[in-house]
Amino acid sequence: MSGILGKTIESLNTLLSPLNTSVGLSTKSLFERCMSARTKREEEWSFQDSLKTIQQRLSEPGVRSSAVKKMLAFVVFAEMMGYKAEFAYIHAVKLAQRGSLAEKKMGYMVCVQLLKDCHQLSMLLVNTIIRDLASRNMVTISMALAATCHLIPPDQASAVLPMVADKLSHSNEYIRGKAVIVLHHFLRICPNQAMHYVHRVRALLGDSDPGVVALILQYLLDLKLEQDHEELTKDLCSSIVSIQDQILHGKLPKDYLHHGVSAPWTQLTILKLIRQLQPPILDVQKVLQDTFKAALGDGNISSSPNLSAAIAIECLVTMLELGVASSKFTSLTMSNIGHLLISHNINFRYEGLNLLETLISHLQVNLTRDQQAVVLRCLQHPDNAIKVKSLHLLCKIADSSSAESICDQIIDFLKNHCSNTHLQEQLVSLGMSLSEKYASNTNHWHLAALLRLLPIAKEQSASIQAQLKFALLAVSETEDDASTPNSAHHKVLGYLTKHSESKVAPTSILELYVWMLSNFHRLLAKEADDRAEHKTHVLALEKIVSLGQKVFQNQIQGSLETVPPRIRKLMYEIVDAARVVVLNNFEPCPQLVLFLKTIVSATLTRVFSDATLRCACNELLGILSACPELSEINLKSSNLSEHPDFTLTFMDNFVCGHLEKGGTPYKALPAKPGSRASVLLALELERNHGDSELCNSNLVVADCSLGSSVLSLAGTESARNVAGSVSSVSSEESKCWTFTSQTQEIDLMPVWTKEGRIKADDSTEADSSSSFTDGVSGPSDETSPQLQPGPSISSWLQKSMVDDPLDSLQKDFKEFCHSTDQVPQSN
């Protein structure tokens, strides 16, 4: 009784199971339950529960093949929905290895969907595919060929390719076509192995089936035959011309008609293959003309169907690239281009622009004003692809008279319509090339174009700055008199000054502004005192320091953990610009000294740590401290002969006098990295950054700055406390400091004495007890100066300037101030 009850319960469970094969819709309930889920959580639960049920069912020993097929269909559905079912992969492989055609077809289909050619289970199918390729059943062979493209990895191709190549001679055209497709696939993924069968495919070009011939033409198009062996291209052009003649004379079956055009895709392939082979134009000119006439008929290109127009355009492009240059052909091409450009079909208009670009590239055709106006009207099209293609075309047809307007069109499109980063880089490069190629010395429109491009460009801002600097330096005094307030230099400096005095400004603009102040500070003569116009460098230093204070104060007030790299670069440019101005005049500036000391103190903190900036500030502080002596030396050296003294003998009196006053001589550094003397020396250099003798030491800083412990101490305590705490600094934290030597401690050797430079034969080693701390002043007690707002814009910048590209930059000032790449500055 108990046995009968157990069998009854088992039968009921089988009947109620959703995978019951006795029911017609065995997996329908699984699909319905998963698709009717109302929430993502419910959907996950439904799929997981269904897959768990399928896994249990597949693990049973007596499961039938029909049930396995239905369960694998649901597994494919679950994988497409993103739910992995790796337990079913092996069952798909087993199903493909069975004897029934239906089961093999289902197994191959599931394996193609679930497995990749690099999957481990794909190796189990290699022998199965080889066995099926050797079968006499056409259906089995076709399934094996279809699975070969998806399941055979490149490293196993050598085992399959010989059998695939044998199918090129199969009696059935379907199998021959499949074999060509497989060989084409392996030609792409492993060309070294597939190239051995190129001749066998080439010999099949005269096949009786048009479908096989079309597949072979696609195969030959990917071979790049112009670079291949001569035996492959021999008589190939005549063969494909013969095929095209057969297509034009209607010798193909009606099955190959598509929208009234016979084998359109094969015709396009033949035209591209002719263009690739580059045969003599006389051999193919007749067939190209016949193809063009057959495609258009009695109508024009804009009124033809899409496929006919595409064939006609390919004919024109092919004739252009083969060298047809007659006036009749040029007028025919221009007529068709005009029809395409005024068409309402977007595809026709885009192809018209492509065809015009090809025509201009090969024949150097000069467009008339009306033709240029038609191209310019394409810029008003709502489709961005047509706008971009129009811009590329306008750059090719640009000349000295139209380059300015075309560049303006590019900039306007970049500002208002372009959000693609890759496209922005292309268009910015086009604008830069136009402004460089057609630079004007009359109205200097190229300067205005580059200034408008500068805030828009991101990765290319450095290139635009370099081009602007070269362009500004190229403007000679005869072309642009600096004494006139309406000169190009004045206008550019005025535009940059407005940005520097605004609340926000692009970093690239500020970098160019400080460069202008350092190299063209003579332009500030109108702002300086009339009785001291030669003091324009003082006003330039004040502006540079004011800008640096505003940028620095803004970063100090911010809540950023680290300073962005672009701000570090801007601060370095500010210090470098100040150094250029000081070296040209050798006059001290108290405001600059205070600013540099503030920056040096900030670079010792964790947030603003930058060894390069700190070294630049220390170098400039050393120059400022020696400005009076250097000014006298500069005056004396300018009165000497025109031949320079590279031995620097005129510096002897200066150095000896400095040593008599108690100055410390130049000495080599203790160079063992990580030693206590090295860390002491580094800290003394930082603490005494205003001392000129220490600033000129031959210290080389690796990477960034001191270790984290030194930085934290320097940021929270005074330099005096740092020096006292140096004993707690480990050697690991000071490894980032690298000195002249890396092997041993070197005794300090003076290079100068009060009598002059030490000669090589009488040099003696100095006492090792002398250190760099001798004669060094203590840390400065001066505090950082109050940040003042920048000076107001001068009156000569506010004059109205008409009909000048540089004057129109003032209209873009507000837009630039709201660009994304801007640096806020506190007033």
Side-chain angles (χ1 to χ4, degrees), residues 203-257:
L204 201 62
L205 191 60
D207 194 89
S208 58
D209 186 74
V212 177
V213 174
L215 294 172
I216 294 173
L217 290 173
Q218 289 284 346
Y219 177 88
L220 295 175
L221 187 62
D222 274 357
L223 271 178
K224 309 297 182 186
L225 288 174
E226 75 278 0
Q227 301 174 359
D228 212 275
H229 301 292
E230 184 179 354
E231 58 268 17
L232 287 176
T233 59
K234 184 179 181 181
D235 298 331
L236 180 59
C237 185
S238 59
S239 299
I240 60 178
V241 167
S242 175
I243 295 171
Q244 181 66 14
D245 284 334
Q246 296 179 38
I247 295 174
L248 293 177
H249 289 85
K251 295 184 178 181
L252 268 64
K254 293 183 178 179
D255 296 339
Y256 290 91
L257 285 176

Short mmCIF file of all heavy atoms in Angstrom, two decimals, residues 203-257:
data_model
loop_
_atom_site.label_atom_id
_atom_site.label_comp_id
_atom_site.label_asym_id
_atom_site.label_seq_id
_atom_site.Cartn_x
_atom_site.Cartn_y
_atom_site.Cartn_z
N ALA A 203 40.27 31.16 -57.43
CA ALA A 203 39.93 30.32 -58.57
C ALA A 203 38.43 30.08 -58.67
O ALA A 203 37.93 29.69 -59.74
CB ALA A 203 40.66 28.98 -58.47
N LEU A 204 37.70 30.33 -57.59
CA LEU A 204 36.25 30.10 -57.59
C LEU A 204 35.48 31.31 -58.08
O LEU A 204 34.24 31.33 -58.02
CB LEU A 204 35.82 29.72 -56.17
CG LEU A 204 34.48 28.98 -55.98
CD1 LEU A 204 34.51 27.64 -56.68
CD2 LEU A 204 34.17 28.81 -54.51
N LEU A 205 36.17 32.37 -58.56
CA LEU A 205 35.48 33.59 -58.98
C LEU A 205 34.57 33.37 -60.18
O LEU A 205 33.59 34.10 -60.37
CB LEU A 205 36.53 34.67 -59.30
CG LEU A 205 36.01 36.09 -59.52
CD1 LEU A 205 35.30 36.60 -58.27
CD2 LEU A 205 37.16 37.03 -59.88
N GLY A 206 34.84 32.35 -60.96
CA GLY A 206 33.98 32.05 -62.10
C GLY A 206 32.87 31.06 -61.77
O GLY A 206 32.41 30.34 -62.67
N ASP A 207 32.46 31.01 -60.52
CA ASP A 207 31.41 30.06 -60.11
C ASP A 207 30.09 30.36 -60.83
O ASP A 207 29.79 31.52 -61.16
CB ASP A 207 31.22 30.13 -58.60
CG ASP A 207 30.41 28.98 -58.05
OD1 ASP A 207 31.02 27.95 -57.71
OD2 ASP A 207 29.17 29.10 -57.98
N SER A 208 29.31 29.33 -61.01
CA SER A 208 28.04 29.49 -61.73
C SER A 208 26.96 30.15 -60.89
O SER A 208 25.98 30.66 -61.44
CB SER A 208 27.54 28.11 -62.20
OG SER A 208 27.38 27.23 -61.09
N ASP A 209 27.13 30.18 -59.57
CA ASP A 209 26.11 30.77 -58.70
C ASP A 209 26.47 32.22 -58.38
O ASP A 209 27.57 32.50 -57.88
CB ASP A 209 26.00 29.96 -57.40
CG ASP A 209 24.87 30.44 -56.53
OD1 ASP A 209 23.71 30.16 -56.85
OD2 ASP A 209 25.16 31.12 -55.52
N PRO A 210 25.58 33.19 -58.65
CA PRO A 210 25.89 34.61 -58.36
C PRO A 210 26.10 34.89 -56.87
O PRO A 210 26.88 35.79 -56.51
CB PRO A 210 24.68 35.36 -58.90
CG PRO A 210 24.03 34.42 -59.86
CD PRO A 210 24.29 33.05 -59.34
N GLY A 211 25.41 34.15 -56.01
CA GLY A 211 25.60 34.37 -54.57
C GLY A 211 27.00 34.03 -54.11
O GLY A 211 27.60 34.76 -53.30
N VAL A 212 27.56 32.93 -54.62
CA VAL A 212 28.93 32.56 -54.27
C VAL A 212 29.91 33.60 -54.81
O VAL A 212 30.88 33.99 -54.14
CB VAL A 212 29.25 31.16 -54.83
CG1 VAL A 212 30.69 30.79 -54.54
CG2 VAL A 212 28.31 30.12 -54.23
N VAL A 213 29.67 34.10 -56.02
CA VAL A 213 30.55 35.12 -56.60
C VAL A 213 30.52 36.40 -55.76
O VAL A 213 31.56 37.04 -55.53
CB VAL A 213 30.13 35.40 -58.05
CG1 VAL A 213 30.93 36.56 -58.63
CG2 VAL A 213 30.31 34.16 -58.91
N ALA A 214 29.34 36.78 -55.29
CA ALA A 214 29.24 37.98 -54.45
C ALA A 214 30.03 37.82 -53.16
O ALA A 214 30.71 38.75 -52.70
CB ALA A 214 27.77 38.28 -54.15
N LEU A 215 29.99 36.61 -52.56
CA LEU A 215 30.75 36.37 -51.34
C LEU A 215 32.25 36.40 -51.61
O LEU A 215 33.03 36.90 -50.78
CB LEU A 215 30.34 35.03 -50.73
CG LEU A 215 28.91 34.95 -50.20
CD1 LEU A 215 28.57 33.52 -49.81
CD2 LEU A 215 28.72 35.88 -49.01
N ILE A 216 32.67 35.88 -52.78
CA ILE A 216 34.10 35.90 -53.11
C ILE A 216 34.58 37.33 -53.34
O ILE A 216 35.70 37.69 -52.97
CB ILE A 216 34.35 35.01 -54.34
CG1 ILE A 216 34.04 33.54 -54.00
CG2 ILE A 216 35.78 35.14 -54.83
CD1 ILE A 216 34.09 32.61 -55.18
N LEU A 217 33.75 38.17 -53.94
CA LEU A 217 34.14 39.57 -54.14
C LEU A 217 34.34 40.28 -52.80
O LEU A 217 35.27 41.08 -52.64
CB LEU A 217 33.07 40.28 -54.97
CG LEU A 217 32.98 39.86 -56.45
CD1 LEU A 217 31.77 40.52 -57.11
CD2 LEU A 217 34.25 40.23 -57.20
N GLN A 218 33.47 40.00 -51.82
CA GLN A 218 33.66 40.57 -50.49
C GLN A 218 34.97 40.07 -49.87
O GLN A 218 35.68 40.82 -49.20
CB GLN A 218 32.47 40.19 -49.59
CG GLN A 218 31.17 40.88 -49.94
CD GLN A 218 31.16 42.34 -49.47
OE1 GLN A 218 31.99 42.75 -48.68
NE2 GLN A 218 30.22 43.10 -50.00
N TYR A 219 35.27 38.80 -50.10
CA TYR A 219 36.51 38.22 -49.58
C TYR A 219 37.73 38.92 -50.20
O TYR A 219 38.68 39.28 -49.51
CB TYR A 219 36.51 36.73 -49.91
CG TYR A 219 37.75 35.98 -49.51
CD1 TYR A 219 37.88 35.41 -48.25
CD2 TYR A 219 38.81 35.81 -50.40
CE1 TYR A 219 39.02 34.71 -47.88
CE2 TYR A 219 39.95 35.12 -50.05
CZ TYR A 219 40.06 34.57 -48.79
OH TYR A 219 41.18 33.89 -48.42
N LEU A 220 37.70 39.13 -51.51
CA LEU A 220 38.82 39.78 -52.19
C LEU A 220 38.96 41.25 -51.80
O LEU A 220 40.07 41.80 -51.80
CB LEU A 220 38.65 39.67 -53.71
CG LEU A 220 38.70 38.25 -54.30
CD1 LEU A 220 38.39 38.28 -55.78
CD2 LEU A 220 40.06 37.61 -54.03
N LEU A 221 37.84 41.88 -51.46
CA LEU A 221 37.90 43.30 -51.06
C LEU A 221 38.67 43.47 -49.76
O LEU A 221 39.33 44.50 -49.56
CB LEU A 221 36.48 43.85 -50.93
CG LEU A 221 36.33 45.35 -50.68
CD1 LEU A 221 36.90 46.14 -51.85
CD2 LEU A 221 34.88 45.72 -50.45
N ASP A 222 38.59 42.49 -48.87
CA ASP A 222 39.32 42.56 -47.60
C ASP A 222 40.77 42.13 -47.70
O ASP A 222 41.51 42.24 -46.73
CB ASP A 222 38.62 41.68 -46.56
CG ASP A 222 37.51 42.42 -45.84
OD1 ASP A 222 37.33 43.62 -46.11
OD2 ASP A 222 36.80 41.80 -45.02
N LEU A 223 41.19 41.67 -48.86
CA LEU A 223 42.57 41.20 -49.00
C LEU A 223 43.57 42.32 -49.19
O LEU A 223 44.77 42.08 -49.06
CB LEU A 223 42.66 40.25 -50.20
CG LEU A 223 42.40 38.77 -49.94
CD1 LEU A 223 42.48 38.00 -51.22
CD2 LEU A 223 43.37 38.21 -48.93
N LYS A 224 43.10 43.53 -49.56
CA LYS A 224 44.02 44.63 -49.88
C LYS A 224 44.97 44.20 -51.01
O LYS A 224 46.19 44.15 -50.87
CB LYS A 224 44.82 45.07 -48.66
CG LYS A 224 43.99 45.35 -47.42
CD LYS A 224 43.03 46.50 -47.64
CE LYS A 224 42.24 46.80 -46.37
NZ LYS A 224 41.21 47.82 -46.58
N LEU A 225 44.36 43.92 -52.15
CA LEU A 225 45.10 43.26 -53.23
C LEU A 225 46.20 44.14 -53.83
O LEU A 225 47.10 43.62 -54.47
CB LEU A 225 44.13 42.84 -54.34
CG LEU A 225 43.23 41.65 -53.98
CD1 LEU A 225 42.21 41.41 -55.06
CD2 LEU A 225 44.06 40.40 -53.76
N GLU A 226 46.13 45.45 -53.64
CA GLU A 226 47.16 46.28 -54.24
C GLU A 226 48.50 46.06 -53.57
O GLU A 226 49.55 46.42 -54.11
CB GLU A 226 46.77 47.75 -54.17
CG GLU A 226 46.92 48.39 -52.78
CD GLU A 226 45.73 48.09 -51.89
OE1 GLU A 226 44.81 47.41 -52.36
OE2 GLU A 226 45.73 48.55 -50.74
N GLN A 227 48.52 45.44 -52.39
CA GLN A 227 49.77 45.17 -51.69
C GLN A 227 50.14 43.69 -51.74
O GLN A 227 51.12 43.28 -51.14
CB GLN A 227 49.64 45.61 -50.22
CG GLN A 227 49.31 47.09 -50.06
CD GLN A 227 49.05 47.46 -48.62
OE1 GLN A 227 49.09 46.61 -47.75
NE2 GLN A 227 48.77 48.72 -48.38
N ASP A 228 49.37 42.86 -52.44
CA ASP A 228 49.57 41.43 -52.43
C ASP A 228 50.41 41.01 -53.63
O ASP A 228 50.90 41.84 -54.41
CB ASP A 228 48.23 40.71 -52.40
CG ASP A 228 48.33 39.41 -51.64
OD1 ASP A 228 48.71 38.42 -52.26
OD2 ASP A 228 48.01 39.39 -50.43
N HIS A 229 50.51 39.70 -53.82
CA HIS A 229 51.32 39.16 -54.91
C HIS A 229 50.68 39.45 -56.27
O HIS A 229 49.46 39.56 -56.40
CB HIS A 229 51.50 37.65 -54.72
CG HIS A 229 52.17 37.29 -53.42
ND1 HIS A 229 53.48 37.58 -53.15
CD2 HIS A 229 51.69 36.68 -52.31
CE1 HIS A 229 53.79 37.16 -51.95
NE2 HIS A 229 52.72 36.61 -51.40
N GLU A 230 51.53 39.50 -57.25
CA GLU A 230 51.05 39.86 -58.58
C GLU A 230 50.17 38.77 -59.19
O GLU A 230 49.25 39.06 -59.95
CB GLU A 230 52.26 40.12 -59.49
CG GLU A 230 51.88 40.60 -60.89
CD GLU A 230 53.10 40.86 -61.74
OE1 GLU A 230 54.23 40.78 -61.19
OE2 GLU A 230 52.92 41.14 -62.93
N GLU A 231 50.41 37.51 -58.85
CA GLU A 231 49.63 36.43 -59.45
C GLU A 231 48.17 36.47 -59.03
O GLU A 231 47.30 35.95 -59.73
CB GLU A 231 50.24 35.07 -59.11
CG GLU A 231 50.36 34.77 -57.62
CD GLU A 231 51.70 35.19 -57.06
OE1 GLU A 231 52.41 35.98 -57.74
OE2 GLU A 231 52.04 34.74 -55.96
N LEU A 232 47.88 37.09 -57.89
CA LEU A 232 46.49 37.19 -57.46
C LEU A 232 45.73 38.26 -58.24
O LEU A 232 44.53 38.12 -58.49
CB LEU A 232 46.42 37.50 -55.96
CG LEU A 232 46.80 36.36 -55.02
CD1 LEU A 232 46.78 36.86 -53.58
CD2 LEU A 232 45.86 35.18 -55.18
N THR A 233 46.40 39.34 -58.59
CA THR A 233 45.74 40.43 -59.29
C THR A 233 45.79 40.29 -60.81
O THR A 233 45.17 41.10 -61.51
CB THR A 233 46.39 41.77 -58.89
OG1 THR A 233 47.79 41.72 -59.23
CG2 THR A 233 46.24 42.03 -57.41
N LYS A 234 46.50 39.30 -61.31
CA LYS A 234 46.60 39.11 -62.76
C LYS A 234 45.23 38.72 -63.33
O LYS A 234 44.60 37.77 -62.85
CB LYS A 234 47.64 38.04 -63.07
CG LYS A 234 47.89 37.86 -64.56
CD LYS A 234 48.95 36.80 -64.80
CE LYS A 234 49.21 36.63 -66.28
NZ LYS A 234 50.25 35.59 -66.54
N ASP A 235 44.78 39.44 -64.32
CA ASP A 235 43.48 39.23 -64.99
C ASP A 235 42.30 39.37 -64.04
O ASP A 235 41.18 39.01 -64.41
CB ASP A 235 43.43 37.84 -65.64
CG ASP A 235 44.50 37.66 -66.70
OD1 ASP A 235 44.88 38.69 -67.33
OD2 ASP A 235 44.97 36.53 -66.89
N LEU A 236 42.53 39.86 -62.82
CA LEU A 236 41.40 40.01 -61.89
C LEU A 236 40.49 41.15 -62.32
O LEU A 236 39.26 41.06 -62.22
CB LEU A 236 41.92 40.26 -60.47
CG LEU A 236 40.87 40.44 -59.38
CD1 LEU A 236 39.98 39.21 -59.29
CD2 LEU A 236 41.52 40.72 -58.03
N CYS A 237 41.09 42.24 -62.80
CA CYS A 237 40.27 43.39 -63.21
C CYS A 237 39.35 43.01 -64.38
O CYS A 237 38.18 43.39 -64.40
CB CYS A 237 41.18 44.55 -63.60
SG CYS A 237 40.30 46.06 -64.00
N SER A 238 39.87 42.26 -65.36
CA SER A 238 39.02 41.85 -66.48
C SER A 238 37.91 40.92 -66.02
O SER A 238 36.79 40.95 -66.57
CB SER A 238 39.87 41.17 -67.55
OG SER A 238 40.54 40.02 -67.01
N SER A 239 38.17 40.10 -65.01
CA SER A 239 37.14 39.19 -64.51
C SER A 239 36.00 39.95 -63.85
O SER A 239 34.82 39.66 -64.10
CB SER A 239 37.76 38.20 -63.52
OG SER A 239 38.76 37.42 -64.14
N ILE A 240 36.33 40.94 -63.01
CA ILE A 240 35.26 41.65 -62.33
C ILE A 240 34.54 42.60 -63.29
O ILE A 240 33.35 42.88 -63.12
CB ILE A 240 35.81 42.42 -61.10
CG1 ILE A 240 36.87 43.44 -61.49
CG2 ILE A 240 36.37 41.46 -60.08
CD1 ILE A 240 37.41 44.24 -60.33
N VAL A 241 35.23 43.09 -64.32
CA VAL A 241 34.54 43.89 -65.34
C VAL A 241 33.55 43.02 -66.10
O VAL A 241 32.43 43.45 -66.43
CB VAL A 241 35.57 44.54 -66.29
CG1 VAL A 241 34.88 45.11 -67.52
CG2 VAL A 241 36.34 45.64 -65.56
N SER A 242 33.93 41.77 -66.36
CA SER A 242 33.01 40.84 -67.03
C SER A 242 31.79 40.55 -66.15
O SER A 242 30.66 40.48 -66.65
CB SER A 242 33.76 39.55 -67.36
OG SER A 242 32.87 38.60 -67.91
N ILE A 243 32.01 40.41 -64.86
CA ILE A 243 30.88 40.18 -63.95
C ILE A 243 29.95 41.39 -63.95
O ILE A 243 28.71 41.26 -63.97
CB ILE A 243 31.41 39.88 -62.54
CG1 ILE A 243 32.20 38.57 -62.53
CG2 ILE A 243 30.27 39.82 -61.54
CD1 ILE A 243 32.93 38.31 -61.23
N GLN A 244 30.51 42.59 -63.95
CA GLN A 244 29.68 43.79 -63.97
C GLN A 244 28.89 43.91 -65.27
O GLN A 244 27.72 44.33 -65.27
CB GLN A 244 30.57 45.03 -63.75
CG GLN A 244 29.83 46.35 -63.72
CD GLN A 244 28.89 46.48 -62.54
OE1 GLN A 244 28.95 45.70 -61.58
NE2 GLN A 244 27.98 47.44 -62.61
N ASP A 245 29.50 43.52 -66.38
CA ASP A 245 28.76 43.53 -67.65
C ASP A 245 27.58 42.58 -67.62
O ASP A 245 26.49 42.90 -68.12
CB ASP A 245 29.71 43.16 -68.80
CG ASP A 245 30.64 44.31 -69.18
OD1 ASP A 245 30.25 45.48 -68.94
OD2 ASP A 245 31.74 44.04 -69.68
N GLN A 246 27.76 41.43 -67.03
CA GLN A 246 26.65 40.48 -66.93
C GLN A 246 25.52 41.05 -66.07
O GLN A 246 24.34 40.85 -66.36
CB GLN A 246 27.15 39.16 -66.34
CG GLN A 246 28.16 38.43 -67.22
CD GLN A 246 28.64 37.14 -66.58
OE1 GLN A 246 27.85 36.44 -65.94
NE2 GLN A 246 29.92 36.83 -66.75
N ILE A 247 25.89 41.77 -65.00
CA ILE A 247 24.85 42.37 -64.16
C ILE A 247 24.10 43.45 -64.93
O ILE A 247 22.86 43.53 -64.87
CB ILE A 247 25.49 42.95 -62.86
CG1 ILE A 247 26.09 41.82 -62.02
CG2 ILE A 247 24.47 43.72 -62.05
CD1 ILE A 247 26.86 42.31 -60.81
N LEU A 248 24.83 44.29 -65.68
CA LEU A 248 24.19 45.39 -66.41
C LEU A 248 23.29 44.87 -67.54
O LEU A 248 22.26 45.51 -67.86
CB LEU A 248 25.26 46.32 -66.99
CG LEU A 248 26.10 47.11 -65.96
CD1 LEU A 248 27.16 47.93 -66.67
CD2 LEU A 248 25.21 48.00 -65.11
N HIS A 249 23.63 43.74 -68.12
CA HIS A 249 22.83 43.19 -69.21
C HIS A 249 21.72 42.26 -68.72
O HIS A 249 21.07 41.59 -69.53
CB HIS A 249 23.74 42.44 -70.19
CG HIS A 249 24.61 43.35 -71.00
ND1 HIS A 249 25.84 43.80 -70.55
CD2 HIS A 249 24.45 43.91 -72.24
CE1 HIS A 249 26.39 44.58 -71.46
NE2 HIS A 249 25.57 44.67 -72.51
N GLY A 250 21.49 42.22 -67.43
CA GLY A 250 20.36 41.48 -66.88
C GLY A 250 20.48 39.99 -66.97
O GLY A 250 19.45 39.29 -67.12
N LYS A 251 21.66 39.43 -66.86
CA LYS A 251 21.85 37.99 -66.94
C LYS A 251 21.72 37.29 -65.59
O LYS A 251 21.86 36.06 -65.52
CB LYS A 251 23.22 37.68 -67.55
CG LYS A 251 23.35 38.13 -69.00
CD LYS A 251 24.68 37.72 -69.60
CE LYS A 251 24.76 38.15 -71.06
NZ LYS A 251 26.04 37.75 -71.69
N LEU A 252 21.46 38.04 -64.54
CA LEU A 252 21.27 37.43 -63.23
C LEU A 252 19.80 37.05 -63.05
O LEU A 252 18.91 37.67 -63.64
CB LEU A 252 21.70 38.39 -62.12
CG LEU A 252 23.15 38.28 -61.64
CD1 LEU A 252 24.11 38.64 -62.74
CD2 LEU A 252 23.38 39.18 -60.42
N PRO A 253 19.52 36.06 -62.22
CA PRO A 253 18.12 35.70 -61.96
C PRO A 253 17.35 36.85 -61.33
O PRO A 253 17.91 37.79 -60.75
CB PRO A 253 18.24 34.51 -61.01
CG PRO A 253 19.62 33.97 -61.21
CD PRO A 253 20.47 35.16 -61.56
N LYS A 254 16.04 36.79 -61.42
CA LYS A 254 15.19 37.84 -60.87
C LYS A 254 15.24 37.90 -59.34
O LYS A 254 14.83 38.90 -58.75
CB LYS A 254 13.75 37.63 -61.33
CG LYS A 254 13.55 37.82 -62.84
CD LYS A 254 12.09 37.67 -63.21
CE LYS A 254 11.91 37.91 -64.71
NZ LYS A 254 10.48 37.75 -65.12
N ASP A 255 15.71 36.83 -58.74
CA ASP A 255 15.82 36.84 -57.27
C ASP A 255 16.80 37.89 -56.78
O ASP A 255 16.77 38.28 -55.60
CB ASP A 255 16.28 35.46 -56.77
CG ASP A 255 15.25 34.37 -57.07
OD1 ASP A 255 14.07 34.74 -57.29
OD2 ASP A 255 15.62 33.18 -57.08
N TYR A 256 17.69 38.35 -57.65
CA TYR A 256 18.70 39.33 -57.24
C TYR A 256 18.27 40.77 -57.51
O TYR A 256 19.06 41.69 -57.32
CB TYR A 256 20.02 39.04 -57.96
CG TYR A 256 20.69 37.76 -57.47
CD1 TYR A 256 20.42 36.54 -58.10
CD2 TYR A 256 21.53 37.76 -56.38
CE1 TYR A 256 21.00 35.37 -57.66
CE2 TYR A 256 22.12 36.59 -55.92
CZ TYR A 256 21.84 35.40 -56.56
OH TYR A 256 22.43 34.23 -56.10
N LEU A 257 17.05 40.97 -57.94
CA LEU A 257 16.52 42.33 -58.11
C LEU A 257 16.09 42.88 -56.75
O LEU A 257 15.38 42.22 -55.98
CB LEU A 257 15.34 42.32 -59.07
CG LEU A 257 15.65 42.17 -60.56
CD1 LEU A 257 14.36 42.07 -61.35
CD2 LEU A 257 16.48 43.35 -61.05
#
